Amino acid sequence: MLKLKLIATSTFGLEAVVKREIQDLGYEDIEVENGKITYTGDERAIAKSNLWLRSADRVLLKMGEFKARSFEELFEKTKSLPWDEFIPEDGEFTVTGKSVKSQLHSVPDCQAIVKKAVVEKMKSRYNRDWFEETGPKFTIQVALLKDTATLTIDTSGVGLHKRGYREEAVEAPLKETLAAAMVNLSFWDKNRIFLDPFCGSGTIPIEAAMIGRNIAPGLNRSFASEQWSIIGKDIWKEERVNALKAIDQDVELKIYAQDMDPDAIEIAKENAYKAGVDDCIRFQLKRMENINTKDEYGVIICNPPYGERLGRKKQVEKLYKTMGKKFEKLSTWSKYIITSNENFEKLYGKKASKKRKLYNGRIKVDYYQYYGPKPPKK
């Protein structure tokens, strides 16, 4: 087995959540920086990480990191890396890039230099001047930050938020990775009642159901590195079989998803069916104001409208005031609400137990956490 450096990238604010997920998979030697978590693993770790990480954006194979203040330095140090150990003779590879506060600020030039350096490395290995690039795909990224170049190969392909179940979505949907993180940041567990009164296309309750049933989020999709010979199809097959065996089919979940839009409810039902959790979620066509339950110690996790569009701000402010009054009656429940509205606490009528800064796409949001009392021990 190889000893590899892997990087799980994440949305700003979710680094601690992704770190915990990596630790739960059994990997150590973890370093956390803004937007990325570096850890050590082997070939199997690539398959396992892609299948199981719920809140990460993608998994990268770290090839090297070095200072690069000139194109010559970037070329020579890139060429010295073991590209030929990972990319086969017929491998198709492209180079993407970004540069922040670095002397080498021309991204297209950096991409061209890296591409040339990798080709030269391949030439020396395979003794040929031309490569057809008809085989497995490899996406190399050169990321420059303050004159430090980090070179990686993307093992995921399409971002990890693409689970494969959400072909349809309502306007401004929440990313699946963020929804999973919201559930993991809450006090909900499979023994407690869950409610999303603004379910939209069902992302939050579906992610909760997948967590409750222990379904690997990447089980129903493919990854770029599945075609890599260095990992091998046997490892991928074994890890998929292990993931299938890990599903808890016997757990009884009490998950409720509500929305006032009948189209949204139909889309959510279809998405839940594709995710294999339609039997775990009870969908209801209902307005938030009409929540009516005698259950106690439940958990509400929701993504209400933000009022970003003109003309909707007053409606949303009124909605938040109504939420505050309605949710207050659920005195034993814990409530978790994400919104970009900076006056949320004032409108809701109560200061949050904890507030966490996150990003929903490019929108800066806060995750307001209102802790209820602990359920009595059974």
Side-chain angles (χ1 to χ4, degrees):
M1 286 289 182
L2 297 171
K3 188 175 182 180
L4 307 172
K5 278 287 184 184
L6 301 175
I7 298 174
T9 62
S10 79
T11 299
F12 178 78
L14 296 184
E15 294 90 347
V17 179
V18 176
K19 178 187 176 182
R20 192 158 62 242
E21 291 180 12
I22 292 167
Q23 288 174 324
D24 288 344
L25 289 177
Y27 300 111
E28 300 174 346
D29 191 21
I30 301 172
E31 298 173 29
V32 180
E33 300 171 72
N34 286 341
K36 67 177 188 178
I37 302 87
T38 305
Y39 58 108
T40 303
D42 54 20
E43 302 98 307
R44 190 174 294 275
I46 292 176
K48 211 169 180 179
S49 299
N50 277 296
L51 285 168
W52 281 101
L53 292 182
R54 297 184 189 277
S55 305
D57 289 333
R58 56 183 65 245
V59 179
L60 309 176
L61 170 61
K62 185 177 180 181
M63 296 297 293
E65 190 171 272
F66 49 80
K67 285 291 182 182
R69 298 183 180 86
S70 68
F71 288 131
E72 183 181 1
E73 196 172 14
L74 178 62
F75 177 84
E76 292 299 337
K77 290 181 177 179
T78 298
K79 187 183 173 183
S80 70
L81 297 175
W83 302 103
D84 53 313
E85 293 179 17
F86 295 88
I87 303 174
E89 190 172 358
D90 64 345
E92 177 188 341
F93 63 96
T94 55
V95 181
T96 63
K98 58 184 177 180
S99 179
V100 179
K101 298 179 181 177
S102 296
Q103 293 180 51
L104 300 180
H105 52 80
S106 173
V107 173
D109 287 339
C110 291
Q111 289 172 241
I113 292 291
V114 169
K115 176 81 176 184
K116 185 180 178 182
V118 176
V119 169
E120 288 302 314
K121 182 73 172 189
M122 301 286 282
K123 281 181 180 180
S124 63
R125 167 68 182 271
Y126 296 109
N127 293 315
R128 59 185 299 179
D129 295 323
W130 175 258
F131 296 93
E132 294 180 356
E133 297 193 40
T134 56
K137 294 182 179 181
F138 296 79
T139 300
I140 298 168
Q141 184 185 77
V142 51
L144 286 146
L145 175 62
K146 296 179 181 178
D147 296 326
T148 296
T150 303
L151 286 130
T152 58
I153 304 177
D154 179 15
T155 75
S156 302
V158 177
L160 295 182
H161 70 284
K162 294 284 188 179
R163 315 289 207 215
Y165 67 75
R166 197 174 75 178
E167 292 180 19
E168 295 191 61
V170 296
E171 185 182 344
L174 193 73
K175 261 191 174 182
E176 294 88 332
T177 43
L178 179 55
M182 288 168 62
V183 176
N184 281 328
L185 284 168
S186 76
F187 285 137
W188 180 77
D189 63 48
K190 61 186 178 182
N191 299 309
R192 297 181 72 170
I193 292 171
F194 177 103
L195 170 63
D196 179 358
F198 304 96
C199 74
S201 55
T203 309
I204 299 175
I206 289 171
E207 290 296 323
M210 291 176 74
I211 290 169
R213 194 168 257 183
N214 199 36
I215 298 174
L219 196 53
N220 292 322
R221 55 158 288 177
S222 59
F223 303 93
S225 50
E226 284 188 68
Q227 304 303 316
W228 297 3
S229 58
I230 195 165
I231 302 175
K233 294 188 182 296
D234 286 347
I235 286 178
W236 277 102
K237 185 177 180 180
E238 288 167 14
E239 288 307 318
R240 285 187 182 278
V241 169
N242 291 338
L244 284 168
K245 288 179 179 177
I247 297 173
D248 187 350
Q249 299 285 7
D250 299 323
V251 67
E252 292 185 15
L253 302 174
K254 293 182 179 179
I255 297 178
Y256 297 88
Q258 302 174 0
D259 204 282
M260 62 182 285
D261 182 353
D263 291 336
I265 290 292
E266 290 307 309
I267 290 171
K269 284 180 178 178
E270 181 65 21
N271 290 339
Y273 175 76
K274 289 173 183 172
V277 294
D278 53 310
D279 59 327
C280 302
I281 307 170
R282 184 178 174 184
F283 291 99
Q284 298 173 321
L285 181 62
K286 185 184 286 189
R287 298 178 69 91
M288 180 275 300
E289 300 94 308
N290 297 327
I291 292 173
N292 184 24
T293 178
K294 293 180 181 178
D295 292 307
E296 294 189 319
Y297 304 103
V299 175
I300 290 174
I301 305 178
C302 62
N303 175 39
Y306 299 169
E308 294 283 333
R309 290 191 175 188
L310 290 173
R312 292 189 181 179
K313 189 175 180 182
K314 288 187 177 179
Q315 286 178 286
V316 166
E317 288 178 351
K318 184 180 178 182
L319 175 68
Y320 291 167
K321 289 177 182 178
T322 306
M323 278 174 63
K325 292 173 184 176
K326 191 68 185 179
F327 288 4
E328 188 179 16
K329 294 177 182 178
L330 303 171
S331 58
T332 64
W333 285 55
S334 295
K335 301 102 180 179
Y336 301 84
I337 303 141
I338 193 168
T339 177
S340 64
N341 193 306
E342 294 180 356
N343 294 319
F344 176 77
E345 286 172 309
K346 186 177 179 182
L347 294 164
Y348 184 81
K350 187 177 181 181
K351 190 172 177 63
S353 308
K354 189 174 182 179
K355 187 170 75 170
R356 194 182 195 107
K357 291 188 183 297
L358 298 171
Y359 279 87
N360 180 9
R362 294 184 179 181
I363 302 173
K364 181 183 174 185
V365 294
D366 285 297
Y367 190 37
Y368 297 91
Q369 302 167 61
Y370 294 88
Y371 303 149
K374 290 183 179 180
K377 291 183 179 180
K378 292 183 181 179

